[in-house]
Amino acid sequence: MGRPLVLIGAGEMAQIAFEYFTCDSDYEVVAFSVEREYLRAPTLCGLPVLAYEDLERVHAPDRAEVFVAVPATGLNRLRTRLFQDARRRGYRCARYVSSRAFVWRNAEIGENCFVFEGNVIQPFVRIGDNCILWSGNHIGHRSVVGDNVFVASHAVVSGYCEIGAGSFVGVNATCNDRVRVAADNVIGAGALIVRDTEPGRVYVGSPARAVPGRSSFDVAF
Ligand SMILES: CC(C)(COP(=O)(O)OP(=O)(O)OC[C@H]1O[C@@H](n2cnc3c(N)ncnc32)[C@H](O)[C@@H]1OP(=O)(O)O)[C@@H](O)C(=O)NCCC(=O)NCCS
């Protein structure tokens, strides 16, 4: 029997997390949990789906850990709200780092992070809490990824960069070394970030420019 784990969420990210935690971690997923208004089916992947509001009744915080398995919905705001709420209720939030990721010994990875296969995380990197790094990213030496960030796939974050809290980095995006991506940015697929960005904006192209009049909070995820 592995360490008991409840997955918060029942969508695609939760079902993917179920696969990875089950096949590549020492956790044992014991249930899914969603807010009551989103309860649809009583079971998922052969496990119960419980109302999040009274999760303590079945899985108390001293008996089970949770992982908030929600993608970039609402520019990461939904995952952030549930993560903060779970911690406030006394739950410890698990992290998953693929056995097929390369993580240097002194890299730091926060709580409720999910690091897929093929990520390369170099020396002295710091990754905050509640971040999702989908497959195949390069996070270069000394870079700092803030809390609540979602990095899609095959992004290159060069050395000494900062990725601001709450940001989304699209597939195949590239950051030149030492650039600072501000908080709450959306970096479009394939964008090349060559200079520091401004918070709350959407950047596309090579070299990347802010999309005029577009707020990152208006992007539908
Ligand atoms: C950047 C992005 C979020 C913009 O979405 P949006 O806010 O709906 O914006 P629109 O599609 O209306 O595009 C706005 C403008 O930016 C351009 N644009 C959008 N994405 C672009 C990109 N990746 N590269 C270059 N230009 C892009 C559009 O052509 C449009 O330009 P126009 O006004 O001259 O026609 C989206 O296109 C994107 O790249 N998403 C990331 C996809 C991804 O990484 N998915 C991973 C799986 S989670």
Side-chain angles (χ1 to χ4, degrees):
M1 167 100 185
R3 297 154 70 188
L5 179 70
V6 177
L7 296 174
I8 311 300
E12 180 69 358
M13 180 72 212
Q15 292 173 59
I16 289 171
F18 169 78
E19 289 293 322
Y20 282 74
F21 275 114
T22 300
C23 298
D24 186 33
S25 85
D26 60 359
Y27 286 99
E28 178 169 343
V29 180
V30 293
F32 292 85
S33 184
V34 297
E35 289 175 307
R36 189 170 278 107
E37 64 174 307
Y38 298 103
L39 279 172
R40 296 288 179 270
T43 61
L44 181 65
C45 305
L47 296 171
V49 183
L50 307 170
Y52 176 68
E53 286 81 352
D54 38 44
L55 185 59
E56 289 90 341
R57 284 196 214 155
V58 188
H59 296 289
D62 59 343
R63 297 274 181 85
E65 294 177 43
V66 300
F67 177 76
V68 180
V70 170
T73 316
L75 194 53
N76 300 304
R77 290 307 196 261
L78 175 57
R79 191 174 73 260
T80 301
R81 175 172 69 76
L82 291 167
F83 168 63
Q84 290 172 347
D85 184 72
R87 282 222 295 207
R88 185 185 54 73
R89 285 162 60 177
Y91 284 101
R92 189 161 171 268
C93 292
R95 81 170 63 75
Y96 167 80
V97 178
S98 169
S99 61
R100 295 169 187 80
F102 176 90
V103 181
W104 193 253
R105 64 186 178 101
N106 56 14
E108 296 171 20
I109 300 175
E111 281 184 55
N112 209 75
C113 284
F114 202 98
V115 177
F116 282 83
E117 65 275 7
N119 277 279
V120 171
I121 300 178
Q122 289 200 317
F124 310 110
V125 162
R126 282 186 286 133
I127 295 175
D129 292 329
N130 197 32
C131 293
I132 297 177
L133 275 64
W134 217 273
S135 51
N137 301 294
H138 169 93
I139 312 295
H141 57 105
R142 306 270 177 194
S143 284
V144 177
V145 177
D147 295 338
N148 314 317
V149 164
F150 187 107
V151 184
S153 283
H154 290 256
V156 174
V157 175
S158 304
Y160 300 99
C161 289
E162 282 180 33
I163 306 295
S167 288
F168 171 93
V169 179
V171 286
N172 266 317
T174 299
C175 297
N176 278 7
D177 52 296
R178 297 177 191 275
V179 296
R180 290 185 191 166
V181 170
D184 301 319
N185 274 181
V186 169
I187 307 300
L192 173 62
I193 307 293
V194 298
R195 56 176 64 95
D196 296 358
T197 66
E198 294 171 16
R201 307 293 302 270
V202 178
Y203 287 84
V204 297
S206 174
R209 307 267 184 245
V211 178
R214 189 95 171 117
S215 161
S216 57
F217 292 99
D218 295 333
V219 174
F221 286 104

